[in-house]
Amino acid sequence: MAAEDLIAPSILSANFAKLGEEVDNVLAAGADIVHFDVMDNHYVPNLTIGPLICEALRKHGVTAPIDVHLMVKPVDRIVPDFAQAGASYITFHPEASEHVDRTLQLIHNEGCKAGLVFNPATPLSYLEYVMDKVDMVLLMSVNPGFGGQSFIPSALDKLREVRQMIDASGREIRLEIDGGVKVDNIAEIKAAGADTFVSGSGIFGKGQDNDPNRYDTIIGKMREALGSVGS
Ligand code: DX5
Ligand code: ZN
């Protein structure tokens, strides 16, 4: 049985020149958690934001969970900095850590929830011995590094597989999907087992900048589509 649906706007597609306001606006429009993409121009070919920005959002007054998606290698050095900066979830790619179990423990010891992220071609076998140590599984439905790419359909089968593993574990583990999520495919993504939906360009990239209700409209449509799927 899937948990309550959470909509997680990826701020990668927000206007960084007014990031605090953008985050306030999507949360006021009904978003649940803030998806925070960290890229290092090493593990992925792009460079984004670090702990200082996470801390700045907290100081700005953001109280919603911040879901830090680390696309960095190595992983461990930066984990305490993000915990200190106010991260709620910290997820990482298992290929980027030499010691996956140790990194999961480190994240927990720092007081955050921990998760593993799977690229489209990364096997789920990394989960086998750490199911008891993850609070979230994040499936990438694009190759990491950039917003605005198209959803890779094989992620749906992978979602179904992980949903079964989570249900069999009996643990409360979030199943998050990231990449190419829009109003028109979010229902089938939920039907395949996801309960946490990252959307960057699908939320921030559309509509007129001068329409004050644009986030209400898009998040409202996503909720409606999610509501059409029985859980
Ligand atoms: C990609 C990032 C995603 C990205 C999603 O590496 O992890 O979170 O922002 O963007 P969209 O929703 O535009 O595919
Ligand atoms: Zn992401």
Side-chain angles (χ1 to χ4, degrees):
M1 173 68 84
E4 175 202 359
D5 298 325
L6 297 181
I7 294 178
S10 163
I11 58 175
L12 184 63
S13 293
N15 181 346
F16 281 114
K18 48 175 186 178
L19 187 58
E21 194 185 321
E22 289 270 76
V23 172
D24 290 345
N25 289 343
V26 284
L27 291 170
D32 302 289
I33 67 177
V34 178
H35 187 77
F36 192 105
D37 286 304
V38 184
M39 304 186 187
D40 67 350
N41 188 37
H42 172 69
Y43 178 65
V44 290
N46 199 357
L47 186 66
T48 60
I49 47 181
L52 284 175
I53 308 292
C54 184
E55 190 182 6
L57 288 176
R58 287 297 186 213
K59 285 187 173 154
H60 175 72
V62 173
T63 55
I66 297 181
D67 167 31
V68 172
H69 174 193
L70 293 181
M71 288 161 273
V72 304
K73 185 178 180 177
V75 180
D76 293 6
R77 221 306 287 138
I78 205 74
V79 164
D81 296 17
F82 271 105
Q84 204 73 52
S88 310
Y89 286 90
I90 298 180
T91 64
F92 65 97
H93 291 247
E95 313 92 317
S97 172
E98 297 289 342
H99 305 283
V100 172
D101 183 283
R102 175 182 286 154
T103 305
L104 289 168
Q105 287 191 49
L106 171 65
I107 294 169
H108 282 148
N109 290 344
E110 291 292 328
C112 298
K113 292 186 173 169
L116 289 184
V117 192
F118 294 84
N119 286 334
T122 304
L124 294 170
S125 50
Y126 283 104
L127 272 177
E128 201 176 344
Y129 298 102
V130 294
M131 214 52 188
D132 59 327
K133 293 197 178 85
V134 295
D135 306 295
M136 178 181 270
V137 175
L138 170 49
L139 296 190
M140 295 304 300
S141 37
V142 297
N143 288 293
F146 303 94
Q149 304 178 76
S150 300
F151 186 89
I152 297 174
S154 63
L156 293 172
D157 283 334
K158 213 168 178 183
L159 275 173
R160 284 184 268 270
E161 209 175 315
V162 180
R163 169 51 56 203
Q164 283 190 358
M165 292 168 78
I166 290 175
D167 288 350
S169 79
R171 295 190 66 247
E172 270 184 37
I173 299 172
R174 286 251 149 223
L175 178 47
E176 185 171 51
I177 187 85
D178 185 2
V181 178
K182 314 272 179 196
V183 170
D184 58 7
N185 62 5
I186 199 167
E188 63 172 335
I189 292 168
K190 174 177 175 177
D195 56 31
T196 307
F197 307 86
V198 176
S199 181
S201 54
I203 290 177
F204 289 105
K206 282 237 177 81
Q208 288 78 36
D209 250 342
N210 52 11
D211 174 2
N213 296 320
R214 67 191 184 118
Y215 298 144
D216 298 80
T217 308
I218 199 88
I219 291 171
K221 283 184 184 165
M222 285 181 168
R223 283 271 177 236
E224 200 181 311
L226 291 170
S228 71
V229 184
S231 47

